[in-house]
Amino acid sequence: MHTNTNSWILKGMICYSKSKEELSVMENGYLVCCQGICQGVFPSIPEEFKSLPLTDYQDALIFPGMTDLHLHAPQYPFCGLGMDLELLEWLENHTFPEESRYCSLDYARQAYGIFTEDLKASPTTRAVIFSTIHSPATKLLMDLLEDTGLATYVGKVNMDQNCPDFLREADAHAALEDTRQWLKDTMNAYRHTKPILTPRFAPTCSAALMEGLGKLQREYGLPVQSHLSENLSETAWVKELFPWSSFYGDVYDRFGLFGSGKGNNAPAVMAHCVHSPREEVLRMKEKGVFVAHCPQSNTNLSSGIAPIRSYLEEGLFIGLGTDLAGGTNLSMFRCITDAIAVSKLYWRLVDQSAKPLTLEEGFYLATIGGGSFFGKVGSFEKGYEADVLVADDSLIPRPQGQSIQNRLARFIYLSQEKGKLIGKYVAGRKIF
Amino acid sequence: MHTNTNSWILKGMICYSKSKEELSVMENGYLVCCQGICQGVFPSIPEEFKSLPLTDYQDALIFPGMTDLHLHAPQYPFCGLGMDLELLEWLENHTFPEESRYCSLDYARQAYGIFTEDLKASPTTRAVIFSTIHSPATKLLMDLLEDTGLATYVGKVNMDQNCPDFLREADAHAALEDTRQWLKDTMNAYRHTKPILTPRFAPTCSAALMEGLGKLQREYGLPVQSHLSENLSETAWVKELFPWSSFYGDVYDRFGLFGSGKGNNAPAVMAHCVHSPREEVLRMKEKGVFVAHCPQSNTNLSSGIAPIRSYLEEGLFIGLGTDLAGGTNLSMFRCITDAIAVSKLYWRLVDQSAKPLTLEEGFYLATIGGGSFFGKVGSFEKGYEADVLVADDSLIPRPQGQSIQNRLARFIYLSQEKGKLIGKYVAGRKIF
């Protein structure tokens, strides 16, 4: 028995992104992990690793874990509800009333218990998560997530204006005190779970609140998550609320909540970016801001389609998000196919110069694209943290035989009906 | 023990469409079926039905079965493959080579065996299905479908030009002889499985072939299925091949393959209608042609989005189709959510006067909309054939409690991950 369970070898049908366009495939390959870090993929076990414990997954597919770059844990209980509404009505009718329930730790324990169990079983190995304004429930969520072994950022939500009384922080000062205490309580409390600053979105945050959050960001060097340019009514509202801003993202940037330049250790991730003007895109590039592309949510809430091809060409950091419960499905496999699907409609209906996403590109975004928010994550190249999924596709009928690439494609498209994950590792830790 | 198993009562949480806009809901209601025909839904069992056997499904949802108005059985083995291609390339690279395998009855038995088992387990109670050009394999498929107890139309495909040698009928004469023999063999051979004339699509059918099929239609009074105005390259090609036609559908109509007027017993169903010009829509209305709206396929193959709101306003007959394997999912629940999703993007990106489909409308299209191709099918109102699904949604977490309408909505959105069908009936016959 090996003493370090974060060092191992997995054998099987291995696929991972070599680049945005190209998949690397090795049949009956060996993926070697030492102390949670990938050492590479080999056709036979190199001499130096022969003492490591081996798990032979035989005909199963082995590929990198997926990062869900944007989702709301407290919204899980009402996934699939209110899907006939647009963003602002949906927030008012479903989201805000549901989120207010998390002032009860009993309710939070029940609801977050379901959420974390399901997230653990899903293809997601890492996630960047919104909770609610409630610090106790947020800490509970972080406790539960830590127990899953997944690697996550979790944000206690800040909102002190333009939201119902029952879901509003008393004022900027109280919000900031509460947030500071929550940060102190959680910053070093976990191994895999970290806090992230989370102004809900510009309309619900006073200038005083955002200014204070910017200070906290600089004081603690924290990453930031929020929403950006999701819906046309929302962007018009932001312009009205912050008339001095050059564009929506400029509001966050003015308060130091929009990243601090490429390669920084505390990046920002902005969900949606469906209606970002050119200046906003350039600012995101300059500041190294990540786009969390949430295709299903943007469809469900009739927001539109983010111009993902142009973001790729611009060289932005991009990952995918399920955006529960604007998106209804926890599965990152579904998220990949949704991203591909809407990119085809964008090409057909909006801009015929914007080539649709390929499967390889969708896979890249779900693995390396979003994984980069966590560092070297999402690939099996030497030096990457070993996040791994093992997929049994034997229930997907293929009477005619198929290549590994095709098996991967079909698993991604059909996993909700026929796929089964039989192994999951995060930074080398076996989750199941 | 009752002798007539097609007469029964089901108890549970009953929902069905009252109209396109309105859902009828009865908690702890009784659905009464006599000889396969619905007698209505009651709050308590009417005296006259008290002797019928009762199945109490308790807290489960009970709603009408769904009609898949367009799918290709032989394409099931490669669902999820080639999704980065457009229609004509996809046909050439994946569809035609796969369909050619069905010249082997051994292959057909294996592949159709998987398909029919999965269709039986799916939410589909009725379907209108393409097979391939091969009569023996088509008969085998019909045998297997008959065994499932589902109600289906199955079409041996006709194609004698513009397709590879390995998947082409020798000539119009041979094709028509083969088709006539197939019709004789199958027309009265089954209780629930019926033949339907199936010119693949205009480009692959010579004028002589279509003229002969029109004669067969009139001789036997058969329904017809085909494809229409799916893709822009395809519609341009049809214009080139049939320069005399006023529009794509005019080609079918010229040969008597486009329905024969409203209320006729042998209607036509045309898949897609994404790019139908106004004259085509009017002709469809005049002839009572059904639209099989296939939202996922039209997205996957980058065809576009059918203007479903305007078809609804025009009063066309409309149902939904999965279009396997242009669509990758067999589930009609998924098909409903896809139809709603693309209608939102159409509204946002193409025509802001085209209101998105509501959940109620999507549900209507999947039940009564497509069911109407089979007669009085898709509702629980008195006189409708009793096609029923019983759904266990207990795995869909709802810590906050929920109305029946909301439970139905969530089941439809989340069924692929969390839903379970526990009962299925077609015209009163228990399938499982």
Side-chain angles (χ1 to χ4, degrees):
Chain A
M1 191 67 188
H2 222 264
T3 49
N4 187 339
T5 54
N6 281 358
S7 298
W8 39 249
I9 300 174
L10 308 184
K11 185 181 180 207
M13 306 301 176
I14 300 181
C15 336
Y16 61 96
S17 292
K18 236 168 138 163
S19 68
K20 283 191 186 72
E21 292 79 26
E22 200 186 342
L23 210 60
S24 176
V25 170
M26 192 179 289
E27 292 194 36
N28 301 305
Y30 296 86
L31 168 64
V32 178
C33 166
C34 288
Q35 314 269 15
I37 305 297
C38 291
Q39 305 302 308
V41 173
F42 307 94
S44 61
I45 305 176
E47 198 52 41
E48 62 203 288
F49 302 125
K50 287 227 157 122
S51 66
L52 293 178
L54 168 78
T55 305
D56 185 350
Y57 282 111
Q58 301 181 328
D59 194 42
L61 300 168
I62 297 178
F63 49 85
M66 307 210 160
T67 293
D68 189 343
L69 212 45
H70 181 66
L71 75 166
H72 296 260
Q75 298 176 17
Y76 195 52
F78 70 94
C79 271
L81 272 194
M83 294 283 91
D84 293 342
L85 302 173
E86 266 195 271
L87 175 66
L88 301 180
E89 293 75 27
W90 177 78
L91 287 173
E92 192 178 322
N93 286 288
H94 292 277
T95 309
F96 291 157
E98 175 67 21
E99 288 197 8
S100 73
R101 293 169 180 260
Y102 291 79
C103 65
S104 152
L105 268 182
D106 281 343
Y107 185 78
R109 188 168 290 110
Q110 189 188 0
Y112 282 151
I114 296 167
F115 167 75
T116 49
E117 275 312 296
D118 284 358
L119 192 70
K120 182 177 173 177
S122 82
T124 298
T125 44
R126 303 195 182 227
V128 184
I129 302 174
F130 277 57
S131 69
T132 62
I133 60 170
H134 313 95
S135 293
T138 302
K139 281 186 270 186
L140 174 70
L141 173 61
M142 294 174 88
D143 292 345
L144 293 168
L145 283 166
E146 179 74 6
D147 289 345
T148 64
L150 305 183
T152 58
Y153 283 110
V154 178
K156 173 201 133 42
V157 170
N158 288 113
M159 50 202 288
D160 69 343
Q161 65 176 22
N162 294 317
C163 48
D165 288 342
F166 58 77
L167 192 70
R168 179 189 300 169
E169 294 176 292
D171 55 40
H173 179 75
L176 291 165
E177 282 309 294
D178 191 26
T179 302
R180 179 184 291 276
Q181 187 58 49
W182 164 71
L183 287 171
K184 285 184 179 164
D185 292 346
T186 59
M187 208 149 20
N188 301 302
Y190 308 102
R191 283 179 307 161
H192 327 304
T193 315
K194 297 290 167 197
I196 180 169
L197 287 178
T198 307
R200 182 174 205 115
F201 69 147
T204 61
C205 298
S206 66
L209 176 55
M210 284 198 276
E211 194 169 332
L213 290 175
K215 278 185 193 150
L216 283 175
Q217 194 285 323
R218 288 187 294 281
E219 187 175 341
Y220 295 107
L222 293 165
V224 175
Q225 65 179 343
S226 195
H227 298 91
L228 182 64
S229 298
E230 175 176 6
N231 169 290
L232 291 171
S233 315
E234 173 214 22
T235 52
W237 194 21
V238 170
K239 188 73 214 164
E240 214 176 276
L241 291 168
F242 303 91
W244 48 262
S245 62
S246 313
F247 46 85
Y248 190 160
D250 187 41
V251 177
Y252 299 123
D253 197 22
R254 192 73 62 97
F255 296 110
L257 297 166
F258 210 57
S260 53
K262 261 200 175 151
N264 65 80
N265 289 320
V269 56
M270 293 287 146
H272 308 306
C273 309
V274 175
H275 302 286
S276 294
R278 177 90 185 127
E279 312 90 277
E280 186 163 278
V281 174
L282 292 178
R283 188 77 62 87
M284 293 177 77
K285 189 175 177 181
E286 179 195 334
K287 298 285 186 160
V289 172
F290 278 70
V291 176
H293 176 43
C294 305
Q296 190 184 128
S297 169
N298 298 336
T299 301
N300 283 339
L301 298 175
S302 299
S303 303
I305 303 177
I308 210 68
R309 173 62 59 200
S310 79
Y311 295 168
L312 280 167
E313 285 170 355
E314 197 66 71
L316 295 190
F317 293 108
I318 311 169
L320 303 180
T322 60
D323 191 24
L324 289 177
T328 60
N329 300 98
L330 196 52
S331 168
M332 286 299 295
F333 299 135
R334 170 74 187 262
C335 194
I336 293 173
T337 62
D338 287 334
I340 294 169
V342 300
S343 76
K344 290 172 177 173
L345 293 176
Y346 188 85
W347 170 77
R348 167 60 70 207
L349 301 175
V350 181
D351 177 1
Q352 299 228 3
S353 76
K355 221 161 32 100
L357 290 182
T358 62
L359 185 85
E360 287 76 9
E361 289 174 321
F363 184 75
Y364 175 94
L365 292 177
T367 55
I368 298 179
S372 303
F373 193 78
F374 289 81
K376 291 197 81 170
V377 169
S379 172
F380 291 158
E381 305 255 351
K382 190 172 159 64
Y384 276 76
E385 295 191 54
D387 288 17
V388 185
L389 298 174
V390 186
D392 175 0
D393 66 343
S394 59
L395 286 175
I396 299 175
R398 47 186 154 103
Q400 78 286 49
Q402 251 143 38
S403 70
I404 304 300
Q405 283 95 329
N406 284 348
R407 284 175 57 192
L408 177 69
R410 300 189 71 213
F411 188 87
I412 289 171
Y413 271 99
L414 304 176
S415 64
Q416 283 186 298
E417 286 170 341
K418 297 274 192 178
K420 200 174 159 200
L421 287 180
I422 56 173
K424 182 168 174 174
Y425 300 77
V426 180
R429 298 185 299 277
K430 190 170 170 62
I431 308 298
F432 59 78
Chain B
M1 191 68 187
H2 221 265
T3 50
N4 185 340
T5 54
N6 283 358
S7 298
W8 40 249
I9 301 174
L10 308 185
K11 184 178 180 211
M13 307 300 175
I14 300 182
C15 335
Y16 61 96
S17 292
K18 236 169 141 163
S19 69
K20 283 190 186 71
E21 292 80 24
E22 201 186 342
L23 210 60
S24 177
V25 170
M26 192 179 289
E27 292 194 34
N28 300 304
Y30 297 86
L31 168 63
V32 177
C33 166
C34 288
Q35 316 269 16
I37 304 297
C38 291
Q39 305 302 309
V41 174
F42 307 94
S44 60
I45 306 175
E47 199 53 42
E48 63 204 286
F49 303 126
K50 289 230 157 120
S51 66
L52 293 178
L54 168 78
T55 305
D56 186 350
Y57 282 112
Q58 301 181 327
D59 194 42
L61 300 168
I62 298 178
F63 49 84
M66 308 212 160
T67 293
D68 189 342
L69 212 45
H70 181 66
L71 75 167
H72 296 261
Q75 297 176 17
Y76 195 53
F78 70 94
C79 272
L81 273 194
M83 293 285 92
D84 293 342
L85 303 173
E86 266 195 89
L87 176 66
L88 301 179
E89 293 75 28
W90 178 77
L91 288 173
E92 193 179 322
N93 286 288
H94 291 277
T95 309
F96 291 157
E98 175 67 22
E99 287 197 8
S100 72
R101 292 169 180 260
Y102 292 79
C103 64
S104 153
L105 267 182
D106 280 343
Y107 185 78
R109 188 169 291 111
Q110 188 189 0
Y112 282 151
I114 296 167
F115 167 75
T116 49
E117 275 311 296
D118 284 358
L119 191 70
K120 182 177 172 176
S122 83
T124 298
T125 43
R126 304 196 180 226
V128 185
I129 301 173
F130 276 57
S131 69
T132 61
I133 59 172
H134 313 95
S135 293
T138 303
K139 281 186 270 187
L140 174 70
L141 172 62
M142 295 173 86
D143 292 347
L144 292 169
L145 283 166
E146 180 74 5
D147 289 344
T148 63
L150 305 183
T152 59
Y153 283 110
V154 178
K156 173 201 132 43
V157 171
N158 288 112
M159 51 203 286
D160 69 343
Q161 65 176 23
N162 294 318
C163 47
D165 288 343
F166 59 76
L167 192 71
R168 180 188 299 170
E169 294 176 292
D171 55 40
H173 179 75
L176 291 165
E177 281 308 295
D178 191 25
T179 302
R180 179 184 291 278
Q181 187 57 49
W182 164 71
L183 287 170
K184 285 183 178 164
D185 291 346
T186 59
M187 208 150 19
N188 301 303
Y190 308 102
R191 284 179 305 160
H192 327 304
T193 315
K194 298 290 167 197
I196 181 169
L197 286 177
T198 307
R200 183 175 204 115
F201 70 146
T204 60
C205 298
S206 67
L209 176 55
M210 284 199 275
E211 193 169 333
L213 290 174
K215 277 186 193 147
L216 283 174
Q217 194 286 323
R218 289 186 293 281
E219 188 175 341
Y220 295 108
L222 293 165
V224 176
Q225 64 179 343
S226 195
H227 298 91
L228 183 64
S229 299
E230 176 176 4
N231 169 292
L232 291 171
S233 315
E234 173 213 23
T235 52
W237 193 20
V238 170
K239 187 74 212 163
E240 213 177 275
L241 290 168
F242 303 92
W244 48 261
S245 62
S246 313
F247 47 84
Y248 189 160
D250 188 40
V251 176
Y252 299 124
D253 198 23
R254 193 73 62 97
F255 296 110
L257 297 167
F258 210 57
S260 52
K262 261 198 175 154
N264 65 81
N265 290 320
V269 55
M270 293 287 147
H272 307 307
C273 308
V274 175
H275 303 285
S276 293
R278 177 93 185 125
E279 314 90 278
E280 187 163 277
V281 174
L282 292 177
R283 187 79 63 84
M284 291 177 77
K285 187 174 178 180
E286 178 196 336
K287 298 285 186 161
V289 173
F290 278 70
V291 175
H293 176 43
C294 303
Q296 190 184 130
S297 169
N298 297 336
T299 300
N300 283 340
L301 298 175
S302 300
S303 302
I305 303 176
I308 211 66
R309 173 62 59 201
S310 79
Y311 295 167
L312 279 167
E313 284 169 355
E314 196 65 72
L316 294 190
F317 294 110
I318 311 168
L320 301 180
T322 60
D323 190 26
L324 291 177
T328 60
N329 300 96
L330 196 52
S331 168
M332 286 299 295
F333 299 135
R334 170 74 187 260
C335 195
I336 292 173
T337 62
D338 287 333
I340 294 169
V342 300
S343 76
K344 291 173 178 173
L345 293 176
Y346 188 85
W347 170 78
R348 167 60 69 207
L349 301 175
V350 181
D351 178 1
Q352 299 227 2
S353 76
K355 223 161 30 103
L357 290 182
T358 62
L359 186 86
E360 288 76 8
E361 289 173 323
F363 184 75
Y364 176 94
L365 291 177
T367 55
I368 298 178
S372 304
F373 193 78
F374 290 81
K376 291 196 82 168
V377 169
S379 173
F380 292 157
E381 306 255 351
K382 190 172 160 64
Y384 275 76
E385 296 191 55
D387 289 17
V388 185
L389 298 174
V390 186
D392 176 359
D393 67 343
S394 58
L395 286 176
I396 299 175
R398 48 187 154 104
Q400 79 286 48
Q402 250 144 38
S403 70
I404 304 299
Q405 284 94 327
N406 283 348
R407 284 176 56 193
L408 178 69
R410 300 190 70 212
F411 188 87
I412 289 171
Y413 271 99
L414 303 176
S415 64
Q416 283 186 298
E417 287 171 339
K418 298 274 192 178
K420 200 175 159 200
L421 288 180
I422 56 173
K424 183 167 173 175
Y425 300 76
V426 180
R429 297 185 299 279
K430 189 169 171 62
I431 308 299
F432 59 78

